[in-house]
Structure formats: structure tokens, C-alpha cells
Amino acid sequence: MKKIAFVSLMAIEAIGVSAQKWVGVPENRFAVTVKIDSAIASEPQKLYMYSMIEQQMQLHDSISFDSIHRVGTMHGYVPYEYNVNLLLQRRGPQCVPIVVKGGDSLSIRIGDEDDGFRLRYIDKVQGSPSTLEMVHYQCRYDSLRQAYLNQHNLSQLYNLSDAQRDSINAIAKKEKDEFERYILEYACTGKSPYSVIDAAGDVFYSFRRNPTLYPYTEKEVDDMMNSLLVRFPDYPPMKAFVNDSTLGTYMSAQSFEIWGSLELRTYSERFQKDEKITMKPLKVGDYMNLKLYNGPLGNVNEFRGKYVLVDFWASWCQPCMAQMPNIRYAAQEFSDDLAVCLIGIDENRKQWWSTVKEKDLRNKDATQTDRPYKIYNYYAYDDKKRAMYPEYQALDIQTIPHNYLVDRSGRIIAKNISITLAIDKLKTLLEKEKQQ
């Protein structure tokens, strides 16, 4: 999935530093002044500033924060307008993307209320109109995309009639077409070359892969491509994109992804955990003896005698959110025979629990619904160490949702199964039990 849902922007405010060109500093360099609030500065940490230009990772600068030193300025160089990413080492958002060019002097503030976010767009920033344009585009992009995903997710609900599914799919197609048309419109009208080329790449490569799936005509795509060099004749990546697009070798097709910045944490030694974890991923046929943290009952073994669904999820994972209604349905349908254990892997406990409440993942009895259900919620992170518990790390979970279906004896009978298939499988198993 290319992009993840947009997060509320109101919590971050700009500090009042005027945006001026530096005096005596080369025009091809830039500066970013950052102020962080008390909670994020409560423990010493560093803020790193990375970029990935032409698929090359570069560390521009870093500054240290603590409870006394809460304002600092970093410097860097980009050959042309481009995205750089601010990555906090411990607390706060994992990634703050901004757009800079030579001579820019930016000022931003990261507030305590932003602690724990994977990504934070800055909607108020001094010194970078291109950052504000990127944020406006991304906000609208995510809003339209989410409207489409909401309808698409509804179409995945278990036990829908064909008529209901067809009706939902028709609405989903309308929402998707509006979303795709917006990308094309921005690619043809945007003023920031960095954001425009990202949108244009979406349109061009989507249309090239399968034109029947997208609401563009070939003429519209050609007109968009022809307009890019006219509007941005001096932007080198645009020349590379237009000239090489017919060969599919646009040099920044991946490096323009701001989400690539999150991968920097994986590959940078600055963010590696000291503790070495031996990976022992569970597989079908294993007996599950998994400790459960921060919730009722302490081990999967305590559910012996019932089938168990153990599901790892996160609030920012759209496929995870899409399957939650079917998980609730399973908890209702098999209330006497199935234990549902959801293990949240959000790094921020408040964000995890607010999603649990928002998505109705807590128990509901007969006084609250005509189909009561029970769901066991667990949290995967050790708050003191700010890391996932070693036993969960050892499972080597590469993607989410990540789940296990366990039989009454504790043996894993399915792994990473769709909830729809899990429901069908449970119905078959329970029917066989009745016949014995």
C-alpha cells in the first residue's frame, strides 16, 4: 500500500521566526530550526535529518535535545527542491517530512501532543511554501483515498448479499474515480515541482500498467506529460522523468516516496536496538505457547479448549482496519468456541487504545447489543524500554495483519489467513465436531 491514512495536523504550530535568506551562507544550502516541547525533551535524544535523492541515502545534520536545550538548527544541502525527513531518535513522531531548496530557512515546532506518531505533516511552517503545498495536497489525497477505502472495506464484510456488494462497489468506484481525478488535476496545476512530480508519477505509471482501471484518457496523460517540462524547465528530476518515462526508468520513482524515510530507521545503526533477538517465527503445526502482555490472561495456553485467533495489528494499517468488522463478526458468531486475542503494535499506547475504542473492539454484553461478543486486547510494547517485547520480536513479523488460528489443543492450524477464510474454516470445523 503506497500511502497511509492522514493524521490530524492541528497540533503542530510554527514558532515565530521570520523566513529570511541567510547572510553570508551559500544559496545552495538550507537551514531548519526546530523547537520541541517538554514531554518530547524529557529524555535526551537526537533529531536526524535525512534525505533520499536519486535513491541515495544522505544524513544532512543532527542536533541533540534535552529538558534544557529544546531549540536547535540543522543545515543541509540539496541540489534542487526536494524532500528531507526529520527523524526523532526516541520520543515524538518518527518522521516529519518537509520540502526544501537552497537558501531556505525553515522554522517548525513539534508539540507534546505529537508524541508517538509514525508520520507528522507540518501544516504551519515558516520559510517553505512548497512544504505547505505538499501538506495541502497530501491532506486532500488522503481524505479522498480514505473515502474510497471506507467503501471498499465495506464490500469485504462477511455475509453481504450480492445486491448489497454491488451497490457498495458502485459507490467505491465513484469515490476511487474522484480520488484519481484529483491526482491528475494536481499534477497539471501544482506549483511545487517536488509534489507535482510525485503526483505525475502516480498518474503515468498507474495508467501505463493498466489503463482500463483508471479514469484517464491517453490524451489527458500525454497533455500532462507535455506540460511538465513547460512548467518546470529547470528542474532536473522532471527532465529525467519525462525523458525516461517511456522506458520506466524514472530515477526517483521510489526515492520520492516520503515513506521511504521510515525505512531509514531500519537501516541506520543510530536506531538499532542493543538487544539481540533470536528469530523463531511460528509456523502451521507448531503448538503455540505465547506470552500475552498488558491484558487479561497471560498466555495463549490459558485458552486451551477453545479455538483461538491471535491477530497482530496497528491503527495505521489499512488492511488491519478493514478486517476488524469481520473479526467482531467472528467473535459474535463463535462466542462459545472462539477466543479472539488482538495484539496492538502501535508504538504509542494512547493511539492504540483510542483505536480499540473507536473501532468497537472492546467487549459488549447483552445490555449493549443484541449480539454480544468478547475480545481480548493486548499491547505489544514495553513502555519502559520503548520497544516491542522480545517474544513478539522473535516472531519476525514482516507484514501486518499477522495472525494465527489455533485449535482447541493449542496447535496452529492456519497462519496469516484472511478473516473471511478463517470464519469459513471455523464453521467447517465446528460442523464436523457436531457430526462426531
Side-chain angles (χ1 to χ4, degrees), residues 117-316:
F117 284 99
R118 294 183 75 237
L119 175 94
R120 199 60 160 169
Y121 289 111
I122 302 296
D123 68 334
K124 295 180 181 178
V125 56
Q126 297 284 337
S128 176
S130 293
T131 295
L132 296 177
E133 183 173 322
M134 177 188 71
V135 172
H136 176 77
Y137 168 65
Q138 193 64 48
C139 177
R140 181 65 176 157
Y141 177 105
D142 287 338
S143 175
L144 292 171
R145 182 172 180 272
Q146 189 61 50
Y148 155 66
L149 287 175
N150 289 342
Q151 294 300 321
H152 174 73
N153 293 344
L154 283 176
S155 73
Q156 308 302 309
L157 292 178
Y158 197 82
N159 270 9
L160 285 178
S161 68
D162 289 343
Q164 288 173 317
R165 203 177 304 278
D166 288 345
S167 175
I168 293 172
N169 283 335
I171 298 173
K173 183 182 184 306
K174 181 180 178 181
E175 298 284 2
K176 184 176 186 296
D177 286 352
E178 183 180 358
F179 163 58
E180 298 291 352
R181 295 295 305 180
Y182 171 71
I183 300 174
L184 175 64
E185 177 189 354
Y186 177 74
C188 294
T189 60
K191 297 179 181 179
S192 164
Y194 169 80
S195 296
V196 165
I197 199 173
D198 190 30
D202 274 350
V203 171
F204 180 84
Y205 290 109
S206 297
F207 186 77
R208 178 57 61 91
R209 283 194 300 269
N210 195 334
T212 61
L213 292 180
Y214 296 90
Y216 320 130
T217 65
E218 186 169 359
K219 183 179 185 306
E220 285 177 320
V221 176
D222 286 345
D223 288 346
M224 176 197 75
M225 297 296 286
N226 291 331
S227 75
L228 295 178
L229 284 180
V230 174
R231 292 155 59 208
F232 307 106
D234 300 322
Y235 191 59
M238 199 69 77
K239 296 177 183 178
F241 172 48
V242 174
N243 293 336
D244 298 339
S245 58
T246 55
L247 303 177
T249 56
Y250 166 35
M251 67 178 181
S252 297
Q254 295 175 354
S255 60
F256 265 102
E257 289 291 329
I258 57 174
W259 287 100
S261 64
L262 296 176
E263 297 300 319
L264 297 172
R265 296 179 71 93
T266 302
Y267 297 114
S268 174
E269 293 181 359
R270 298 174 181 84
F271 297 98
Q272 296 299 318
K273 307 294 183 185
D274 295 332
E275 189 175 5
K276 300 296 182 183
I277 304 297
T278 302
M279 300 301 180
K280 294 181 180 179
L282 293 169
K283 59 183 182 296
V284 173
D286 288 346
Y287 280 87
M288 178 171 274
N289 180 23
L290 187 68
K291 188 171 182 181
L292 300 170
Y293 296 88
N294 299 303
L297 302 183
N299 194 294
V300 173
N301 278 322
E302 297 182 49
F303 295 104
R304 288 284 177 93
K306 284 190 172 187
Y307 291 96
V308 185
L309 176 65
V310 179
D311 187 273
F312 289 84
W313 67 282
S315 63
W316 42 263

